[in-house]
Amino acid sequence: MEKKLRKEGRYTYYEIGEGTPIVVLHGLMGGLSNFDALAEYFSQQGYKIVIPELPLYSQNILKTNVKAFSKFVKDFITFKKFDRVLLLGNSLGGHIALYHSKMYPEKVAGLVLTGSSGLYESAMGDSYPKRGDYEYIKNKTESVFYDPKIATKEMIDEVFGIVNDRIKVIKTLTIAKSAIRHNMAKDLPKMHVQTCLIWGKNDKVTPPEVAEEFHKLMPNSTLYWIDKCGHAAMMEHPDEFNRLLHEWLQKVNL
């Protein structure tokens, strides 16, 4: 996917397809390639898939928070001259999508959350910045998935690189604190956007009860489960994820 990235102004993004725009937001340790299968499938179903690189590590520390990232997404949507979009987010990307929907509801036609933070997430834990311990990082990365083999060496190396970069560790912890501070529980009942929740039954980062809480609090939500699946359903079970999302899009006419 990297070779097809577009760079325009302050934005770097991937785009494929024509039609209704789906803007996809990646998580804290997530790359754009996590959504390859989704982009390939929905670009052939009448949707334009747009995946921006979020400035998680490139913005000033004062703009390293959920609110600032949501503003970045709003500016990106304006830059692309999209009227309204479907927002799809995994993990931190889901939280940013939620906060964006709260702040700029007129821009959001529908919301898709998978393994989203915003209510509760079990991050790397107190021992997160365990620098230099490759085996620890390997185990932590593998635990994100039901099937540890999904965590490739390239993925583990990338996470290892982040936790051994002092600035990135500081920004990661800043983002984690921001996620806790921007808890969405009080906002969700007021958010009437059509919302699709697709959750792994074996998600250890945002466990199943988090999905149930989202579903309970959000007035227009539909919850789908994927069995034998961890925190990144669109990677671990891409075909099932695409099938469920397509079913929901047809059901709510988006």
Side-chain angles (χ1 to χ4, degrees):
M1 196 181 261
E2 270 59 33
K3 64 182 182 296
K4 301 174 190 168
L5 286 183
R6 300 185 184 192
K7 291 186 189 291
E8 295 176 4
R10 66 184 180 122
Y11 304 109
T12 302
Y13 63 98
Y14 175 71
E15 183 178 305
I16 186 172
E18 288 302 328
T20 304
I22 301 179
V23 175
V24 177
L25 306 179
H26 62 81
L28 189 56
M29 302 284 177
L32 275 58
S33 61
N34 295 7
F35 302 93
D36 278 354
L38 180 142
E40 186 66 34
Y41 178 81
F42 284 100
S43 65
Q44 295 171 24
Q45 306 294 330
Y47 295 91
K48 181 193 285 285
I49 309 302
V50 190
I51 315 177
E53 279 187 355
L54 296 171
L56 304 183
Y57 299 116
S58 59
Q59 295 201 142
N60 179 294
I61 194 86
L62 296 174
K63 289 188 174 177
T64 302
N65 57 63
V66 170
K67 185 177 179 180
F69 297 146
S70 303
K71 173 72 164 57
F72 174 90
V73 172
K74 188 243 185 190
D75 291 345
F76 177 70
I77 290 168
T78 303
F79 167 78
K80 288 296 294 174
K81 297 185 169 61
F82 295 146
D83 180 25
R84 296 172 83 222
V85 304
L86 287 155
L87 269 185
L88 185 155
N90 171 238
S91 201
L92 174 70
H95 197 162
I96 295 166
L98 277 165
Y99 199 86
H100 178 282
S101 300
K102 171 194 166 182
M103 298 302 291
Y104 317 105
E106 70 286 352
K107 292 279 184 193
V108 185
L111 201 52
V112 183
L113 305 175
T114 180
S116 177
S117 61
L119 288 174
Y120 162 83
E121 71 279 349
S122 164
M124 286 291 213
D126 297 334
S127 52
Y128 165 70
K130 208 163 189 177
R131 301 161 77 181
D133 189 341
Y134 188 85
E135 199 56 34
Y136 173 83
I137 297 303
K138 179 175 181 282
N139 291 337
K140 276 289 181 187
T141 307
E142 288 177 345
S143 73
V144 168
F145 304 99
Y146 177 80
D147 177 3
K149 291 197 288 294
I150 302 284
T152 61
K153 184 173 187 310
E154 182 187 18
M155 196 185 298
I156 295 160
D157 288 348
E158 196 173 322
V159 176
F160 187 69
I162 289 169
V163 301
N164 281 282
D165 180 317
R166 195 177 72 84
I167 299 298
K168 285 185 176 176
V169 166
I170 290 167
K171 289 196 169 182
T172 298
L173 295 173
T174 302
I175 292 166
K177 284 175 186 164
S178 161
I180 293 164
R181 198 166 63 247
H182 291 101
N183 187 285
M184 303 293 294
K186 289 194 176 79
D187 302 302
L188 297 179
K190 302 172 210 153
M191 293 170 63
H192 292 271
V193 61
Q194 288 287 353
T195 303
C196 176
L197 304 162
I198 303 179
W199 232 263
K201 278 190 178 175
N202 311 91
D203 188 340
K204 293 177 189 167
V205 182
T206 47
E209 54 268 29
V210 176
E212 286 162 0
E213 188 73 3
F214 271 121
H215 185 38
K216 187 176 88 179
L217 291 172
M218 299 188 84
N220 290 318
S221 63
T222 307
L223 174 58
Y224 299 97
W225 295 104
I226 299 182
D227 203 10
K228 295 183 179 174
C229 180
H231 187 54
M234 71 288 167
M235 290 174 70
E236 204 156 3
H237 293 279
D239 293 343
E240 179 68 355
F241 184 93
N242 290 342
R243 185 187 72 75
L244 293 171
L245 177 53
H246 201 177
E247 180 186 301
W248 176 78
L249 288 167
Q250 289 176 319
K251 181 181 128 182
V252 296
N253 201 23
L254 287 171

PDB file of all heavy atoms in Angstrom, residues 115-117 119-123 199-214 223 225 229-231:
ATOM      1  N   GLY A 115     -13.157  -2.522  18.014  1.00  0.00           N
ATOM      2  CA  GLY A 115     -12.150  -2.478  19.074  1.00  0.00           C
ATOM      3  C   GLY A 115     -11.827  -1.051  19.479  1.00  0.00           C
ATOM      4  O   GLY A 115     -10.671  -0.693  19.696  1.00  0.00           O
ATOM      5  N   SER A 116     -12.849  -0.213  19.580  1.00  0.00           N
ATOM      6  CA  SER A 116     -12.634   1.214  19.819  1.00  0.00           C
ATOM      7  C   SER A 116     -12.361   1.522  21.282  1.00  0.00           C
ATOM      8  O   SER A 116     -12.974   0.956  22.184  1.00  0.00           O
ATOM      9  CB  SER A 116     -13.874   1.992  19.365  1.00  0.00           C
ATOM     10  OG  SER A 116     -13.723   3.365  19.643  1.00  0.00           O
ATOM     11  N   SER A 117     -11.439   2.469  21.503  1.00  0.00           N
ATOM     12  CA  SER A 117     -11.332   3.046  22.835  1.00  0.00           C
ATOM     13  C   SER A 117     -12.375   4.154  22.936  1.00  0.00           C
ATOM     14  O   SER A 117     -13.119   4.395  21.993  1.00  0.00           O
ATOM     15  CB  SER A 117      -9.911   3.557  23.096  1.00  0.00           C
ATOM     16  OG  SER A 117      -9.546   4.558  22.176  1.00  0.00           O
ATOM     17  N   LEU A 119     -14.328   4.351  25.944  1.00  0.00           N
ATOM     18  CA  LEU A 119     -14.937   4.018  27.238  1.00  0.00           C
ATOM     19  C   LEU A 119     -13.889   3.413  28.167  1.00  0.00           C
ATOM     20  O   LEU A 119     -13.709   3.834  29.300  1.00  0.00           O
ATOM     21  CB  LEU A 119     -16.085   3.023  27.046  1.00  0.00           C
ATOM     22  CG  LEU A 119     -17.358   3.568  26.408  1.00  0.00           C
ATOM     23  CD1 LEU A 119     -18.358   2.443  26.146  1.00  0.00           C
ATOM     24  CD2 LEU A 119     -18.003   4.636  27.302  1.00  0.00           C
ATOM     25  N   TYR A 120     -13.201   2.418  27.648  1.00  0.00           N
ATOM     26  CA  TYR A 120     -12.196   1.721  28.446  1.00  0.00           C
ATOM     27  C   TYR A 120     -11.295   0.935  27.510  1.00  0.00           C
ATOM     28  O   TYR A 120     -11.751   0.378  26.523  1.00  0.00           O
ATOM     29  CB  TYR A 120     -12.869   0.735  29.408  1.00  0.00           C
ATOM     30  CG  TYR A 120     -11.918  -0.321  29.949  1.00  0.00           C
ATOM     31  CD1 TYR A 120     -11.089  -0.041  31.034  1.00  0.00           C
ATOM     32  CD2 TYR A 120     -11.828  -1.566  29.345  1.00  0.00           C
ATOM     33  CE1 TYR A 120     -10.187  -0.995  31.495  1.00  0.00           C
ATOM     34  CE2 TYR A 120     -10.934  -2.534  29.814  1.00  0.00           C
ATOM     35  CZ  TYR A 120     -10.121  -2.233  30.891  1.00  0.00           C
ATOM     36  OH  TYR A 120      -9.229  -3.173  31.334  1.00  0.00           O
ATOM     37  N   GLU A 121     -10.020   0.941  27.781  1.00  0.00           N
ATOM     38  CA  GLU A 121      -9.143   0.027  27.068  1.00  0.00           C
ATOM     39  C   GLU A 121      -7.996  -0.387  27.979  1.00  0.00           C
ATOM     40  O   GLU A 121      -7.558   0.385  28.825  1.00  0.00           O
ATOM     41  CB  GLU A 121      -8.603   0.644  25.767  1.00  0.00           C
ATOM     42  CG  GLU A 121      -7.590   1.743  25.911  1.00  0.00           C
ATOM     43  CD  GLU A 121      -8.224   3.102  26.216  1.00  0.00           C
ATOM     44  OE1 GLU A 121      -9.457   3.238  26.115  1.00  0.00           O
ATOM     45  OE2 GLU A 121      -7.480   4.011  26.590  1.00  0.00           O
ATOM     46  N   SER A 122      -7.537  -1.606  27.811  1.00  0.00           N
ATOM     47  CA  SER A 122      -6.374  -2.086  28.552  1.00  0.00           C
ATOM     48  C   SER A 122      -5.180  -1.910  27.624  1.00  0.00           C
ATOM     49  O   SER A 122      -4.988  -2.687  26.701  1.00  0.00           O
ATOM     50  CB  SER A 122      -6.563  -3.560  28.897  1.00  0.00           C
ATOM     51  OG  SER A 122      -5.348  -4.119  29.268  1.00  0.00           O
ATOM     52  N   ALA A 123      -4.421  -0.855  27.835  1.00  0.00           N
ATOM     53  CA  ALA A 123      -3.293  -0.570  26.940  1.00  0.00           C
ATOM     54  C   ALA A 123      -2.117  -1.476  27.293  1.00  0.00           C
ATOM     55  O   ALA A 123      -2.303  -2.578  27.793  1.00  0.00           O
ATOM     56  CB  ALA A 123      -2.919   0.894  27.047  1.00  0.00           C
ATOM     57  N   TRP A 199     -17.079  -6.372  16.643  1.00  0.00           N
ATOM     58  CA  TRP A 199     -16.173  -6.650  17.763  1.00  0.00           C
ATOM     59  C   TRP A 199     -15.690  -8.103  17.775  1.00  0.00           C
ATOM     60  O   TRP A 199     -16.465  -9.030  17.509  1.00  0.00           O
ATOM     61  CB  TRP A 199     -16.887  -6.378  19.075  1.00  0.00           C
ATOM     62  CG  TRP A 199     -16.124  -5.475  19.995  1.00  0.00           C
ATOM     63  CD1 TRP A 199     -15.319  -5.851  21.032  1.00  0.00           C
ATOM     64  CD2 TRP A 199     -16.096  -4.044  19.973  1.00  0.00           C
ATOM     65  NE1 TRP A 199     -14.800  -4.735  21.658  1.00  0.00           N
ATOM     66  CE2 TRP A 199     -15.266  -3.611  21.013  1.00  0.00           C
ATOM     67  CE3 TRP A 199     -16.701  -3.081  19.147  1.00  0.00           C
ATOM     68  CZ2 TRP A 199     -15.008  -2.261  21.276  1.00  0.00           C
ATOM     69  CZ3 TRP A 199     -16.443  -1.740  19.402  1.00  0.00           C
ATOM     70  CH2 TRP A 199     -15.621  -1.340  20.453  1.00  0.00           C
ATOM     71  N   GLY A 200     -14.425  -8.266  18.114  1.00  0.00           N
ATOM     72  CA  GLY A 200     -13.882  -9.607  18.342  1.00  0.00           C
ATOM     73  C   GLY A 200     -14.323 -10.122  19.698  1.00  0.00           C
ATOM     74  O   GLY A 200     -14.183  -9.414  20.705  1.00  0.00           O
ATOM     75  N   LYS A 201     -14.848 -11.335  19.733  1.00  0.00           N
ATOM     76  CA  LYS A 201     -15.306 -11.917  21.011  1.00  0.00           C
ATOM     77  C   LYS A 201     -14.152 -12.155  21.977  1.00  0.00           C
ATOM     78  O   LYS A 201     -14.369 -12.345  23.177  1.00  0.00           O
ATOM     79  CB  LYS A 201     -16.021 -13.245  20.753  1.00  0.00           C
ATOM     80  CG  LYS A 201     -17.470 -13.090  20.343  1.00  0.00           C
ATOM     81  CD  LYS A 201     -18.165 -14.442  20.348  1.00  0.00           C
ATOM     82  CE  LYS A 201     -19.638 -14.294  19.985  1.00  0.00           C
ATOM     83  NZ  LYS A 201     -20.297 -15.593  19.863  1.00  0.00           N
ATOM     84  N   ASN A 202     -12.912 -12.166  21.447  1.00  0.00           N
ATOM     85  CA  ASN A 202     -11.744 -12.465  22.282  1.00  0.00           C
ATOM     86  C   ASN A 202     -10.808 -11.260  22.403  1.00  0.00           C
ATOM     87  O   ASN A 202      -9.622 -11.413  22.656  1.00  0.00           O
ATOM     88  CB  ASN A 202     -10.994 -13.662  21.695  1.00  0.00           C
ATOM     89  CG  ASN A 202     -11.927 -14.829  21.388  1.00  0.00           C
ATOM     90  OD1 ASN A 202     -12.451 -14.930  20.285  1.00  0.00           O
ATOM     91  ND2 ASN A 202     -12.183 -15.678  22.364  1.00  0.00           N
ATOM     92  N   ASP A 203     -11.377 -10.080  22.241  1.00  0.00           N
ATOM     93  CA  ASP A 203     -10.599  -8.842  22.337  1.00  0.00           C
ATOM     94  C   ASP A 203     -10.159  -8.642  23.792  1.00  0.00           C
ATOM     95  O   ASP A 203     -10.989  -8.550  24.693  1.00  0.00           O
ATOM     96  CB  ASP A 203     -11.468  -7.668  21.872  1.00  0.00           C
ATOM     97  CG  ASP A 203     -10.711  -6.360  21.742  1.00  0.00           C
ATOM     98  OD1 ASP A 203      -9.631  -6.225  22.341  1.00  0.00           O
ATOM     99  OD2 ASP A 203     -11.207  -5.469  21.035  1.00  0.00           O
ATOM    100  N   LYS A 204      -8.833  -8.572  24.011  1.00  0.00           N
ATOM    101  CA  LYS A 204      -8.323  -8.365  25.378  1.00  0.00           C
ATOM    102  C   LYS A 204      -8.055  -6.891  25.657  1.00  0.00           C
ATOM    103  O   LYS A 204      -7.865  -6.502  26.801  1.00  0.00           O
ATOM    104  CB  LYS A 204      -7.018  -9.143  25.566  1.00  0.00           C
ATOM    105  CG  LYS A 204      -7.188 -10.649  25.527  1.00  0.00           C
ATOM    106  CD  LYS A 204      -5.824 -11.316  25.638  1.00  0.00           C
ATOM    107  CE  LYS A 204      -5.937 -12.815  25.381  1.00  0.00           C
ATOM    108  NZ  LYS A 204      -4.612 -13.416  25.179  1.00  0.00           N
ATOM    109  N   VAL A 205      -7.961  -6.078  24.614  1.00  0.00           N
ATOM    110  CA  VAL A 205      -7.645  -4.656  24.791  1.00  0.00           C
ATOM    111  C   VAL A 205      -8.910  -3.860  25.109  1.00  0.00           C
ATOM    112  O   VAL A 205      -8.957  -3.085  26.061  1.00  0.00           O
ATOM    113  CB  VAL A 205      -6.949  -4.087  23.532  1.00  0.00           C
ATOM    114  CG1 VAL A 205      -6.574  -2.617  23.739  1.00  0.00           C
ATOM    115  CG2 VAL A 205      -5.704  -4.910  23.176  1.00  0.00           C
ATOM    116  N   THR A 206      -9.936  -4.056  24.292  1.00  0.00           N
ATOM    117  CA  THR A 206     -11.264  -3.483  24.575  1.00  0.00           C
ATOM    118  C   THR A 206     -12.229  -4.675  24.633  1.00  0.00           C
ATOM    119  O   THR A 206     -12.823  -5.041  23.626  1.00  0.00           O
ATOM    120  CB  THR A 206     -11.702  -2.483  23.479  1.00  0.00           C
ATOM    121  OG1 THR A 206     -11.467  -3.072  22.188  1.00  0.00           O
ATOM    122  CG2 THR A 206     -10.923  -1.189  23.564  1.00  0.00           C
ATOM    123  N   PRO A 207     -12.349  -5.295  25.804  1.00  0.00           N
ATOM    124  CA  PRO A 207     -13.083  -6.562  25.937  1.00  0.00           C
ATOM    125  C   PRO A 207     -14.559  -6.455  25.509  1.00  0.00           C
ATOM    126  O   PRO A 207     -15.093  -5.353  25.356  1.00  0.00           O
ATOM    127  CB  PRO A 207     -12.966  -6.877  27.430  1.00  0.00           C
ATOM    128  CG  PRO A 207     -11.821  -6.060  27.936  1.00  0.00           C
ATOM    129  CD  PRO A 207     -11.792  -4.830  27.086  1.00  0.00           C
ATOM    130  N   PRO A 208     -15.222  -7.610  25.316  1.00  0.00           N
ATOM    131  CA  PRO A 208     -16.611  -7.630  24.843  1.00  0.00           C
ATOM    132  C   PRO A 208     -17.568  -6.734  25.632  1.00  0.00           C
ATOM    133  O   PRO A 208     -18.474  -6.138  25.049  1.00  0.00           O
ATOM    134  CB  PRO A 208     -17.000  -9.105  24.970  1.00  0.00           C
ATOM    135  CG  PRO A 208     -15.713  -9.839  24.769  1.00  0.00           C
ATOM    136  CD  PRO A 208     -14.662  -8.978  25.407  1.00  0.00           C
ATOM    137  N   GLU A 209     -17.347  -6.611  26.931  1.00  0.00           N
ATOM    138  CA  GLU A 209     -18.263  -5.766  27.718  1.00  0.00           C
ATOM    139  C   GLU A 209     -18.180  -4.292  27.291  1.00  0.00           C
ATOM    140  O   GLU A 209     -19.131  -3.525  27.481  1.00  0.00           O
ATOM    141  CB  GLU A 209     -18.027  -5.901  29.225  1.00  0.00           C
ATOM    142  CG  GLU A 209     -16.621  -5.658  29.704  1.00  0.00           C
ATOM    143  CD  GLU A 209     -15.782  -6.927  29.786  1.00  0.00           C
ATOM    144  OE1 GLU A 209     -16.023  -7.879  29.013  1.00  0.00           O
ATOM    145  OE2 GLU A 209     -14.856  -6.938  30.637  1.00  0.00           O
ATOM    146  N   VAL A 210     -17.056  -3.890  26.715  1.00  0.00           N
ATOM    147  CA  VAL A 210     -16.923  -2.523  26.191  1.00  0.00           C
ATOM    148  C   VAL A 210     -17.874  -2.342  25.003  1.00  0.00           C
ATOM    149  O   VAL A 210     -18.577  -1.336  24.899  1.00  0.00           O
ATOM    150  CB  VAL A 210     -15.458  -2.230  25.769  1.00  0.00           C
ATOM    151  CG1 VAL A 210     -15.348  -0.850  25.133  1.00  0.00           C
ATOM    152  CG2 VAL A 210     -14.524  -2.329  26.975  1.00  0.00           C
ATOM    153  N   ALA A 211     -17.894  -3.340  24.115  1.00  0.00           N
ATOM    154  CA  ALA A 211     -18.807  -3.294  22.961  1.00  0.00           C
ATOM    155  C   ALA A 211     -20.258  -3.234  23.427  1.00  0.00           C
ATOM    156  O   ALA A 211     -21.073  -2.470  22.893  1.00  0.00           O
ATOM    157  CB  ALA A 211     -18.592  -4.519  22.073  1.00  0.00           C
ATOM    158  N   GLU A 212     -20.575  -4.033  24.449  1.00  0.00           N
ATOM    159  CA  GLU A 212     -21.952  -4.050  24.968  1.00  0.00           C
ATOM    160  C   GLU A 212     -22.333  -2.701  25.570  1.00  0.00           C
ATOM    161  O   GLU A 212     -23.470  -2.231  25.414  1.00  0.00           O
ATOM    162  CB  GLU A 212     -22.090  -5.174  26.002  1.00  0.00           C
ATOM    163  CG  GLU A 212     -22.137  -6.556  25.342  1.00  0.00           C
ATOM    164  CD  GLU A 212     -21.839  -7.696  26.305  1.00  0.00           C
ATOM    165  OE1 GLU A 212     -21.592  -7.429  27.504  1.00  0.00           O
ATOM    166  OE2 GLU A 212     -21.832  -8.857  25.841  1.00  0.00           O
ATOM    167  N   GLU A 213     -21.361  -2.057  26.203  1.00  0.00           N
ATOM    168  CA  GLU A 213     -21.608  -0.732  26.792  1.00  0.00           C
ATOM    169  C   GLU A 213     -21.830   0.316  25.692  1.00  0.00           C
ATOM    170  O   GLU A 213     -22.744   1.147  25.784  1.00  0.00           O
ATOM    171  CB  GLU A 213     -20.414  -0.344  27.682  1.00  0.00           C
ATOM    172  CG  GLU A 213     -20.619   0.915  28.507  1.00  0.00           C
ATOM    173  CD  GLU A 213     -21.577   0.754  29.675  1.00  0.00           C
ATOM    174  OE1 GLU A 213     -22.094  -0.363  29.936  1.00  0.00           O
ATOM    175  OE2 GLU A 213     -21.848   1.769  30.341  1.00  0.00           O
ATOM    176  N   PHE A 214     -21.000   0.279  24.658  1.00  0.00           N
ATOM    177  CA  PHE A 214     -21.205   1.170  23.506  1.00  0.00           C
ATOM    178  C   PHE A 214     -22.615   0.975  22.939  1.00  0.00           C
ATOM    179  O   PHE A 214     -23.335   1.941  22.669  1.00  0.00           O
ATOM    180  CB  PHE A 214     -20.184   0.874  22.395  1.00  0.00           C
ATOM    181  CG  PHE A 214     -18.899   1.647  22.510  1.00  0.00           C
ATOM    182  CD1 PHE A 214     -17.679   0.983  22.617  1.00  0.00           C
ATOM    183  CD2 PHE A 214     -18.888   3.034  22.464  1.00  0.00           C
ATOM    184  CE1 PHE A 214     -16.485   1.687  22.705  1.00  0.00           C
ATOM    185  CE2 PHE A 214     -17.692   3.751  22.553  1.00  0.00           C
ATOM    186  CZ  PHE A 214     -16.488   3.069  22.672  1.00  0.00           C
ATOM    187  N   LEU A 223     -24.774  -4.064  16.848  1.00  0.00           N
ATOM    188  CA  LEU A 223     -23.566  -4.771  17.310  1.00  0.00           C
ATOM    189  C   LEU A 223     -23.435  -6.125  16.634  1.00  0.00           C
ATOM    190  O   LEU A 223     -24.361  -6.928  16.641  1.00  0.00           O
ATOM    191  CB  LEU A 223     -23.625  -4.938  18.834  1.00  0.00           C
ATOM    192  CG  LEU A 223     -22.535  -5.769  19.509  1.00  0.00           C
ATOM    193  CD1 LEU A 223     -21.137  -5.234  19.227  1.00  0.00           C
ATOM    194  CD2 LEU A 223     -22.780  -5.833  21.027  1.00  0.00           C
ATOM    195  N   TRP A 225     -20.741  -9.557  16.292  1.00  0.00           N
ATOM    196  CA  TRP A 225     -19.619 -10.251  16.929  1.00  0.00           C
ATOM    197  C   TRP A 225     -18.873 -11.117  15.910  1.00  0.00           C
ATOM    198  O   TRP A 225     -19.485 -11.687  15.011  1.00  0.00           O
ATOM    199  CB  TRP A 225     -20.111 -11.181  18.045  1.00  0.00           C
ATOM    200  CG  TRP A 225     -20.748 -10.471  19.202  1.00  0.00           C
ATOM    201  CD1 TRP A 225     -22.076 -10.378  19.491  1.00  0.00           C
ATOM    202  CD2 TRP A 225     -20.070  -9.740  20.229  1.00  0.00           C
ATOM    203  NE1 TRP A 225     -22.278  -9.650  20.629  1.00  0.00           N
ATOM    204  CE2 TRP A 225     -21.068  -9.241  21.108  1.00  0.00           C
ATOM    205  CE3 TRP A 225     -18.727  -9.453  20.493  1.00  0.00           C
ATOM    206  CZ2 TRP A 225     -20.746  -8.486  22.230  1.00  0.00           C
ATOM    207  CZ3 TRP A 225     -18.420  -8.687  21.609  1.00  0.00           C
ATOM    208  CH2 TRP A 225     -19.422  -8.221  22.466  1.00  0.00           C
ATOM    209  N   CYS A 229     -11.553 -14.031  17.619  1.00  0.00           N
ATOM    210  CA  CYS A 229     -11.065 -12.772  17.046  1.00  0.00           C
ATOM    211  C   CYS A 229     -10.675 -11.806  18.167  1.00  0.00           C
ATOM    212  O   CYS A 229     -11.399 -11.655  19.145  1.00  0.00           O
ATOM    213  CB  CYS A 229     -12.167 -12.162  16.177  1.00  0.00           C
ATOM    214  SG  CYS A 229     -11.708 -10.615  15.401  1.00  0.00           S
ATOM    215  N   GLY A 230      -9.528 -11.162  17.992  1.00  0.00           N
ATOM    216  CA  GLY A 230      -9.033 -10.216  18.986  1.00  0.00           C
ATOM    217  C   GLY A 230      -9.406  -8.775  18.687  1.00  0.00           C
ATOM    218  O   GLY A 230     -10.535  -8.472  18.286  1.00  0.00           O
ATOM    219  N   HIS A 231      -8.423  -7.889  18.816  1.00  0.00           N
ATOM    220  CA  HIS A 231      -8.646  -6.441  18.835  1.00  0.00           C
ATOM    221  C   HIS A 231      -8.760  -5.809  17.449  1.00  0.00           C
ATOM    222  O   HIS A 231      -9.225  -4.684  17.328  1.00  0.00           O
ATOM    223  CB  HIS A 231      -7.486  -5.797  19.613  1.00  0.00           C
ATOM    224  CG  HIS A 231      -7.635  -4.346  19.880  1.00  0.00           C
ATOM    225  ND1 HIS A 231      -8.745  -3.805  20.496  1.00  0.00           N
ATOM    226  CD2 HIS A 231      -6.799  -3.291  19.615  1.00  0.00           C
ATOM    227  CE1 HIS A 231      -8.592  -2.481  20.605  1.00  0.00           C
ATOM    228  NE2 HIS A 231      -7.426  -2.163  20.070  1.00  0.00           N
TER     229      HIS A 231
END
